[in-house]
Amino acid sequence: MDSASFLIIEHAPDYETGDMILLNKTNMVFGRESFYWKPDVSFHNVFVSRKHFLIYVESNHFYIKDLDSKHGTYINGVKLQSNTPKKLATNDKISFANGLVTMSFSLKVIEETSELIPLQLEELNRRLYQPQLDSLTQHLIYQNKYYALTDKEFKLMELLLKNQFVAKDELMNHVWSERFSLDNLNPNVSSEEVNALLYRVRKKVPNPLIIETIRGKGYSLKIN
């Protein structure tokens, strides 16, 4: 499979223009996540079906197939027939969710684009493998997966992603800021509260993200 094949977001909820989705599996299902189902790539919108469409590789070519979605999938403005494969070509525009999501398909031959591909892959790796936070929806985004966080869980991850090391006092002041005032410079936060928060976050975030406790000093976030 061509490692430089990907989708480029033009506009989509929870994504930024220019975000890239690496097509790194033989079969990738795009859809809306539910309690019982998690697609390979999720879009959080009511116009997206749980199993909306499939992109797959066959005989070194990429194909797209609408999975009988309620609102349809469009290629270059033409609606796909349900469960009928269509071969993808470079710069094909994929749109769905009543036009709320538009992406372009890019299939590059590395030998022909030796100067461009390293830059594209560097940016792609940064977006895919560096965790990001969506402050609007309070989600942690990692490898195209979304992890819902509570307010305090979000504040904890926000602090850890900005700093290589976070002292325990700094963590308490940031996460429990509502207890901080000019009259109370030392928020009354117990070690049990801190440990409980760390436990919940460690259970939620994916395994490559490791929150390490540096005994007597604070905490750090590492990516394995």
Side-chain angles (χ1 to χ4, degrees):
M1 188 186 305
D2 185 353
S3 62
S5 300
F6 47 84
L7 300 174
I8 302 175
I9 299 289
E10 295 190 5
H11 55 83
D14 301 325
Y15 287 85
E16 294 183 6
T17 299
D19 280 353
M20 291 178 280
I21 299 173
L22 182 64
L23 299 174
N24 57 356
K25 295 182 181 179
T26 303
N27 296 277
M28 293 184 67
V29 176
F30 292 67
R32 177 165 48 88
E33 184 176 337
S34 68
F35 183 77
Y36 300 102
W37 162 253
K38 180 178 287 189
D40 295 296
V41 181
S42 298
F43 292 88
H44 300 270
N45 190 277
V46 294
F47 294 112
V48 179
S49 299
R50 287 181 175 82
K51 295 183 181 181
H52 201 100
F53 64 86
L54 169 71
I55 291 181
Y56 66 96
V57 180
E58 186 175 286
S59 301
N60 293 322
H61 296 291
F62 282 86
Y63 292 85
I64 185 170
K65 181 168 66 175
D66 182 84
L67 300 177
D68 199 25
S69 64
K70 183 176 180 180
H71 297 281
T73 305
Y74 295 77
I75 301 296
N76 302 322
V78 179
K79 187 176 182 179
L80 293 178
Q81 187 175 353
S82 295
N83 297 309
T84 301
K86 178 175 175 56
K87 184 178 176 181
L88 285 169
T90 298
N91 296 327
D92 273 350
K93 291 192 183 299
I94 303 169
S95 60
F96 56 102
N98 285 2
L100 291 174
V101 181
T102 301
M103 309 177 290
S104 60
F105 172 74
S106 180
L107 176 62
K108 301 291 185 182
V109 179
I110 293 180
E111 288 79 3
E112 296 178 356
T113 57
S114 58
E115 294 182 0
L116 295 177
I117 289 301
L119 295 175
Q120 292 172 333
L121 290 181
E122 181 180 348
E123 174 65 10
L124 179 59
N125 286 330
R126 185 189 71 79
R127 292 176 183 270
L128 284 178
Y129 299 110
Q130 291 298 317
Q132 302 175 63
L133 291 173
D134 186 328
S135 58
L136 184 63
T137 63
Q138 283 198 173
H139 280 82
L140 168 71
I141 308 169
Y142 186 65
Q143 295 186 356
N144 290 323
K145 303 292 184 183
Y146 285 71
Y147 303 87
L149 302 174
T150 66
D151 182 58
K152 283 184 168 41
E153 291 167 353
F154 187 89
K155 287 182 176 180
L156 171 62
M157 289 304 301
E158 182 180 48
L159 198 59
L160 288 170
L161 287 171
K162 286 181 179 178
N163 304 278
Q164 291 183 336
F165 168 79
V166 177
K168 187 174 181 180
D169 288 345
E170 183 182 0
L171 183 151
M172 290 189 295
N173 288 337
H174 182 76
V175 175
W176 284 271
S177 58
E178 74 279 2
R179 302 185 191 178
F180 181 87
S181 68
L182 293 177
D183 297 326
N184 182 18
L185 299 179
N186 296 304
N188 184 22
V189 181
S190 67
S191 295
E192 288 75 16
E193 287 179 286
V194 175
N195 292 335
L197 176 62
L198 288 167
Y199 175 80
R200 293 197 305 272
V201 173
R202 283 167 173 154
K203 294 285 286 185
K204 278 190 177 183
V205 301
N207 287 333
L209 304 182
I210 306 297
I211 301 175
E212 292 189 342
T213 299
I214 303 173
R215 190 173 298 277
K217 294 184 178 180
Y219 311 93
S220 65
L221 179 67
K222 293 189 176 180
I223 304 175
N224 287 342

